[in-house]
Amino acid sequence: MAVIDIDDSNVKENLNQNEKVIVKYYASWCGSCRLIKPKYKRLSNNERFEGITFLDTDAEHNPEARKLAGVQSLPYFAIFKNGELVEGLSTSKEESIVELLEKL
């Protein structure tokens, strides 16, 4: 499944329309964010995580989306189930993202 870009105008809609969601919060200036991008895309295409919607949002330009997950540092990953925040984590390690996905 492709990674879907979202912003403040459609974040709640995407969270509520999909049962299991992971959101990656990034900023254009963030080097770690750029490094994790291809790994995140690869995870989104992994059959193991079929049924999970992968979203991407620029934390600097989307304060409402950022507030929903309590983002403090980047890159930040948050998992949501049925529109509700389950857990969030600031990391640039693929293993940590996989652990987060396994909680869904």
Side-chain angles (χ1 to χ4, degrees), residues 31-88:
S32 296
C33 299
R34 286 192 298 274
L35 289 173
I36 200 70
K37 185 176 181 175
K39 295 173 186 175
Y40 186 67
K41 182 174 172 70
R42 187 175 64 245
L43 288 171
S44 76
N45 291 317
N46 188 323
E47 289 179 6
R48 182 172 162 201
F49 303 117
E50 194 173 325
I52 299 175
T53 302
F54 284 70
L55 304 177
D56 214 358
T57 192
D58 187 329
E60 291 216 302
H61 299 292
N62 297 290
E64 292 302 313
R66 189 174 64 238
K67 192 182 339 176
L68 289 172
V71 176
Q72 298 294 321
S73 58
L74 300 172
Y76 192 87
F77 297 86
I79 52 172
F80 294 83
K81 191 161 188 175
N82 299 315
E84 297 294 321
L85 178 65
V86 175
E87 188 175 332

Side-chain angles (χ1 to χ4, degrees), residues 3 7 9-10 14 38 50-51 71 73 81 84 86-87 91-93 95-96 99 102:
V3 177
D7 57 34
S9 70
N10 62 7
N14 277 281
E50 194 173 325
V71 176
S73 58
K81 191 161 188 175
E84 297 294 321
V86 175
E87 188 175 332
T91 186
S92 56
K93 295 181 180 175
E95 308 83 47
S96 299
E99 287 174 17
E102 288 173 342

Side-chain angles (χ1 to χ4, degrees), residues 10-37:
N10 62 7
V11 63
K12 287 185 180 176
E13 177 184 331
N14 277 281
L15 293 177
N16 292 325
Q17 286 182 351
N18 298 288
E19 180 187 358
K20 299 175 182 178
V21 176
I22 184 166
V23 182
K24 179 182 76 156
Y25 296 86
Y26 70 92
S28 58
W29 51 262
C30 172
S32 296
C33 299
R34 286 192 298 274
L35 289 173
I36 200 70
K37 185 176 181 175

